[in-house]
Amino acid sequence: MTTAETTAREVGKARARKEDARLITGQTNWTDNIILPGLTYVAFVRSPYAHARITGVDLSAAREASGVIAVFSGADFAAEQGSLPCAWPVTEDIVLPDHPAMAVDTVRYAGEIVAAVVARDRYAAADAVELIDVSYEPLEPVLDMEAAVRPDSPKVHEAGNKSYTWTLANGDMDAAFRDAPVVLERTYRQQRLIPSAMEPRAVVCAPVGGEYTMWSSTQIPHILKIMLALVTGIPEQQIRVIAPDVGGGFGSKLQVTAEEVLALLLARKLGRPVKWTESRSEGNVAVHHGRDQIQRIRIAAESNGRLRALDVDLLADMGAYLMLVTPGVPLLGAFMYNAIYKMDAYRFNCTGVFTTKTPTDAYRGAGRPEATYAIEHIMDDLAAELGMDPLEVRELNWIKHEEFPYTTIAGLTYDSGNYEAATAAAKELFRYEELRTEQSARNGDSAQVRLGIGVSTFTEMCGLAPSRVLGSLRYAAGGWENASIRMLPTGKVEVVTGSSAHGQGHETAWSQIVADELGVPFEDIRVLHGDTQVSPRGMDTYGSRSLVVGGTALVVACGKVREKARIIAAGLLEVSPEDLEWADGRWSVRGDPDQGKAIGEIAFAAFAAHDLPDGVEPSLDSDATYDPDNFSFPHGTHLCAVEVDTETGWVQIRSYVAVDDVGVVVNPQIVEGQVHGGIAQGIAQALYEEAAYDSSGNLITTTLADYLVPSAADLPSITTARTTTPSTLNPLGVKGVGEAGTIASTPAVVNAIVDALRPLGVTDVPMPCTPERVWRAIQEARGGAR
């Protein structure tokens, strides 16, 4: 490819995002902006108890309040609300309790909806909520996963507190562990996290003539539409779901929520449009939470550090109910605990446990960050046990670049990668050897502030698909994606994608891809998404699948447009289609590039339809549905240096380097933003965030004053770079980037902290590594106060 051709291509350019002008200025249509004639406002009464029987609901005072239109309890909806869906019943014998949108007789977590007020404005609705008197008979909460699975534990549901047990095993575990020179056993805790999207959840639902339009701050308009029909019995063709511009999701909006179902039922019952927008504190108790696992890890190795086997036993907190993909989230990690390493045997066992807490579900990375944290933490422990450098023991065990494609012990086939190149680049940028030398010089026994270096070499499975694999895991839906190309008569292009954006830059990246595929200017392309009437087919956005799956669907659809255009161009030029060649947006006669037709000319000729070949329809419009054969596997090396004050426990990140391989990059600026945002969330888990409950099961981190989300001032300057091994699994060569930073960063930070303190006897600091926890870990290692 010549330099001129490279410059002309859109893919690879750091284009400013098309959508930013309206998003950054707020000149857009967020769900809470929507005002409709006759709009009413909904507020919910939520249980203050983690576990209780509802013995009475007195709505009379609220019904008399000024501005109130209607008030309802769970009993009013018992016959029509159905059960909120779980699309991933991971085992045949899974315990899958009914999940009412509004509790009728029992509440199972603090924050569960027990009544609803509909009023003329949101303030009247909020005031009337205070007038509803709900009587409860408190029941004993179930808060500890390990206690919950004991026979004498109080039951969250009649069927018990164990939802399922799922196992994956390959190789001879007994032989691998038998007489192994090194066996390490560790228990790590993945704390519970609260997704904190910039835009809180919001829903507007309008009934018109037996049909319903719902605007929702959702990641999954297509899935939501189907599930609303299944839950409520309203025919699917009478439901339209629109996801307008959505201010972030991180998995928290990958959900079919009680509020969405109730908005639809209330609109049907009242015959009027309704709106609900959550407050931040309401969202903290009601939006599904993330992580919350106990990881018991055993690893066996030779005395030289070569891995023999890995054994993972996981307890995963489901919370009170199974939501859309709750049971499957830990299983995504099942295929990633082995990470980039070769070994002889592997076993993964997961038990899903019910507790009386807010349900958990997907949160950025969904199972992969948890797995990466565990394997990267114990690899550091293994290196320390053997007196080896952490990178040395990793390189001894990782898959070499010449070994790809490589089928791992977990059964996945990684198509491409180069862990050596990414690590070498990271070490150079980080000045790894210099920092190790500095560490040796300054970390004496009397050093108050100690230097630690953390390593995280990772891969992930993303591009969530293919449908056959998801089906084998008992997932209810597929992993395909749909795209349509509309060639307008004036040569402009409308792109319709089933992958609905919530901040990722789809409109820009998709325009770049289509510009290259059709040879039209970037500015002449408009991307439409998020409306099930405009984009009737799609599987939406999660699991870093948008570009890998949705982008490939675009390429396939563009190919169909070109082929239609070739037939019409051949007729216009009076040559055989086989005599034409495609270049720079034109079909030209081979050997005579001046004799040709540009795609815009062909589009207008199709519109006019004056002289088309016989049997050719007057349209270039095309669509495609793409279902990949495999996941994609981005990877990278993240290195972190921290300084730890042993007197106060304070941790300061001194430097952070991330070298990621995400395959071919469509827009470097978007990739940079995704990596930075992901690292911020991973650092937040390592140092700041935790959803905490009191002994009664009440969430005590209900506001951002209690639940610490870091700001830019709390985060380090991040050095990023990329290596590129194109994916062999799709024509774009892309791998996905949305979750990489989150997956890699948490173990890099915690490993750095432990590395600083390991000479003092510290082998772990529970997350988040707050100054108090760091200080306590030091004191306990010294035999001091607990």
Side-chain angles (χ1 to χ4, degrees):
M1 181 179 291
T2 67
T3 302
E5 287 174 325
T6 304
T7 304
R9 282 184 60 80
E10 281 291 338
V11 169
K13 283 186 180 178
R15 281 274 193 182
R17 302 197 323 173
K18 285 184 172 183
E19 47 270 72
D20 280 352
R22 69 174 192 272
L23 296 179
I24 292 172
T25 60
Q27 298 180 64
T28 188
N29 200 27
W30 311 109
T31 301
D32 191 48
N33 293 351
I34 295 169
I35 302 294
L36 301 174
L39 184 64
T40 63
Y41 296 80
V42 181
F44 295 112
V45 179
R46 297 182 182 274
S47 169
Y49 291 95
H51 200 194
R53 290 189 184 91
I54 300 171
T55 57
V57 183
D58 185 352
L59 308 175
S60 56
R63 285 174 171 155
E64 298 300 319
S66 175
V68 170
I69 294 167
V71 186
F72 302 99
S73 69
D76 296 311
F77 287 106
E80 58 182 304
Q81 67 179 335
S83 178
L84 295 180
C86 173
W88 207 339
V90 295
T91 63
E92 191 171 342
D93 60 350
I94 189 171
V95 174
L96 186 58
D98 284 342
H99 184 184
M102 190 182 297
V104 177
D105 49 26
T106 304
V107 290
R108 293 181 172 87
Y109 66 95
E112 189 168 1
I113 296 172
V114 295
V117 173
V118 184
R120 290 186 173 87
D121 62 60
R122 65 183 64 195
Y123 307 104
D127 289 343
V129 158
E130 302 299 323
L131 300 176
I132 295 175
D133 183 15
V134 184
S135 301
Y136 299 93
E137 177 189 332
L139 300 171
E140 191 172 350
V142 179
L143 304 174
D144 180 89
M145 280 185 276
E146 293 175 301
V149 295
R150 296 174 190 149
D152 59 346
S153 172
K155 291 183 178 180
V156 181
H157 299 281
E158 280 304 309
N161 296 339
K162 185 184 292 186
S163 177
Y164 68 89
T165 298
W166 189 93
T167 301
L168 172 70
N170 282 314
D172 190 336
M173 290 291 291
D174 290 340
F177 274 92
R178 188 182 307 122
D179 301 324
V182 182
V183 174
L184 300 181
E185 297 188 24
R186 298 289 187 267
T187 299
Y188 304 130
R189 186 72 168 87
Q190 288 283 325
Q191 79 269 38
R192 179 175 278 247
L193 302 178
I194 302 175
S196 301
M198 182 178 291
E199 181 196 13
R201 294 178 303 147
V203 187
V204 174
C205 189
V208 179
E211 297 183 355
Y212 302 87
T213 299
M214 176 178 288
W215 293 263
S216 181
S217 177
T218 181
Q219 297 175 219
I220 53 167
H222 297 90
I223 294 173
L224 177 58
K225 176 187 175 183
I226 295 167
M227 292 301 181
L228 287 173
L230 293 173
V231 170
T232 65
I234 297 171
E236 185 186 349
Q237 71 273 19
Q238 292 172 215
I239 300 174
R240 176 185 184 185
V241 174
I242 302 172
D245 282 325
V246 175
F250 313 119
S252 68
K253 296 171 185 174
L254 167 57
Q255 196 54 262
V256 178
T257 68
E259 294 84 2
E260 288 163 329
V261 171
L262 291 171
L264 179 57
L265 295 178
L266 287 165
R268 180 171 68 175
K269 192 178 286 285
L270 298 174
R272 297 179 61 171
V274 301
K275 176 193 280 191
W276 170 78
T277 303
E278 73 180 358
S279 67
R280 185 65 66 181
S281 57
E282 185 178 23
N284 277 16
V285 300
V287 74
H288 73 245
H289 292 174
R291 314 286 191 253
D292 208 351
Q293 298 177 1
I294 298 172
Q295 304 167 302
R296 300 187 182 96
I297 314 294
R298 282 197 311 150
I299 198 166
E302 304 288 357
S303 56
N304 67 353
R306 189 188 75 81
L307 296 181
R308 284 188 172 194
L310 179 67
D311 190 13
V312 179
D313 194 6
L314 199 66
L315 282 181
D317 193 338
M318 306 286 99
Y321 299 99
L322 302 182
M323 299 199 71
L324 191 64
V325 295
T326 303
V329 168
L331 275 53
L332 292 173
F335 301 94
M336 287 287 102
Y337 276 88
N338 54 289
I340 65 174
Y341 305 119
K342 298 177 285 188
M343 57 190 73
D344 303 323
Y346 171 62
R347 186 188 76 97
F348 170 91
N349 184 77
C350 177
T351 300
V353 182
F354 291 117
T355 62
T356 54
K357 297 180 183 177
T358 301
T360 58
D361 209 302
Y363 177 60
R364 196 170 189 172
R368 281 77 53 82
E370 298 94 310
T372 300
Y373 178 84
I375 185 63
E376 288 303 286
H377 199 335
I378 205 166
M379 287 298 285
D380 260 29
D381 289 350
L382 177 62
E385 180 76 13
L386 296 171
M388 298 174 67
D389 182 275
L391 280 173
E392 182 186 0
V393 76
R394 285 168 168 82
E395 184 172 6
L396 176 68
N397 288 286
W398 69 38
I399 304 158
K400 303 300 188 290
H401 71 273
E402 65 270 14
E403 295 179 285
F404 289 96
Y406 185 90
T407 300
T408 73
I409 193 68
L412 294 180
T413 299
Y414 298 171
D415 66 305
S416 67
N418 191 327
Y419 310 137
E420 303 98 304
T423 303
K427 286 177 69 176
E428 183 177 352
L429 287 169
F430 191 68
R431 298 185 300 109
Y432 185 82
E433 301 300 340
E434 292 177 48
L435 282 171
R436 284 294 184 198
T437 300
E438 179 188 344
Q439 183 185 42
S440 297
R442 65 178 284 183
N443 282 9
D445 292 340
S446 61
Q448 177 180 329
V449 179
R450 303 179 63 85
L451 176 63
I453 297 170
V455 175
S456 176
T457 53
F458 80 103
T459 189
E460 58 160 324
M461 53 183 278
C462 62
L464 192 60
S467 299
R468 289 181 179 178
V469 174
L470 295 176
S472 71
L473 296 172
R474 302 179 62 87
Y475 184 56
W480 52 265
E481 194 49 82
N482 184 260
S484 299
I485 305 295
R486 299 174 183 166
M487 287 299 308
L488 305 181
T490 56
K492 313 299 183 183
V493 181
E494 287 181 341
V495 175
V496 181
T497 176
S499 180
S500 179
H502 45 280
Q504 295 92 335
H506 286 19
E507 293 174 34
T508 303
W510 272 219
S511 295
Q512 291 179 267
I513 293 168
V514 173
D516 283 350
E517 293 294 320
L518 296 181
V520 297
F522 171 83
E523 295 78 11
D524 287 353
I525 300 166
R526 185 184 182 201
V527 178
L528 306 174
H529 61 88
D531 183 337
T532 61
Q533 208 163 79
V534 174
S535 169
R537 302 190 68 223
M539 291 303 297
D540 303 315
T541 298
Y542 41 86
S544 297
R545 67 187 304 274
S546 295
L547 181 60
V548 176
V549 189
T552 303
L554 279 181
V555 172
V556 177
C558 286
K560 292 181 179 181
V561 169
R562 289 197 305 271
E563 286 306 304
K564 285 186 175 183
R566 181 165 73 157
I567 302 300
I568 295 174
L572 295 173
L573 296 168
E574 299 181 340
V575 298
S576 168
E578 287 71 31
D579 292 334
L580 298 180
E581 59 184 1
W582 175 264
D584 300 325
R586 290 169 53 88
W587 281 113
S588 302
V589 177
R590 188 173 285 106
D592 186 3
D594 292 333
Q595 187 181 359
K597 293 289 182 181
I599 190 74
E601 296 177 276
I602 301 168
F604 193 84
F607 163 73
H610 293 163
D611 194 20
L612 299 182
D614 292 343
V616 174
E617 63 180 23
S619 172
L620 298 184
D621 295 357
S622 300
D623 68 271
T625 299
Y626 173 70
D627 195 349
D629 295 325
N630 197 358
F631 302 97
S632 63
F633 302 97
H635 68 83
T637 297
H638 287 215
L639 301 174
C640 178
V642 303
E643 293 185 338
V644 183
D645 189 323
T646 58
E647 294 299 312
T648 65
W650 180 257
V651 174
Q652 180 72 42
I653 297 178
R654 174 169 143 177
S655 60
Y656 194 102
V657 167
V659 177
D660 289 285
D661 188 328
V662 298
V664 173
V665 171
V666 173
N667 187 315
Q669 187 166 288
I670 290 176
V671 167
E672 196 84 354
Q674 289 282 359
V675 170
H676 276 253
I679 290 171
Q681 286 186 260
I683 291 174
Q685 178 172 6
L687 298 180
Y688 300 107
E689 296 186 28
E690 182 176 30
Y693 286 81
D694 67 17
S695 60
S696 298
N698 296 304
L699 185 72
I700 58 177
T701 49
T702 55
T703 73
L704 294 183
D706 310 302
Y707 186 84
L708 187 55
V709 176
S711 70
D714 300 306
L715 297 169
S717 178
I718 300 165
T719 300
T720 61
R722 289 184 299 277
T723 56
T724 302
T725 53
S727 172
T728 64
L729 302 171
N730 61 73
L732 287 168
V734 296
K735 294 184 177 182
V737 69
E739 295 157 302
T742 303
I743 291 169
S745 55
T746 305
V749 175
V750 176
N751 280 347
I753 295 169
V754 175
D755 183 64
L757 303 177
R758 199 180 292 275
L760 305 182
V762 174
T763 59
D764 189 30
V765 179
M767 295 189 292
C769 302
T770 61
E772 180 189 3
R773 287 183 176 173
V774 172
W775 182 85
R776 287 191 178 278
I778 295 168
Q779 299 310 305
E780 290 172 10
R782 290 172 172 171
R786 292 180 175 272

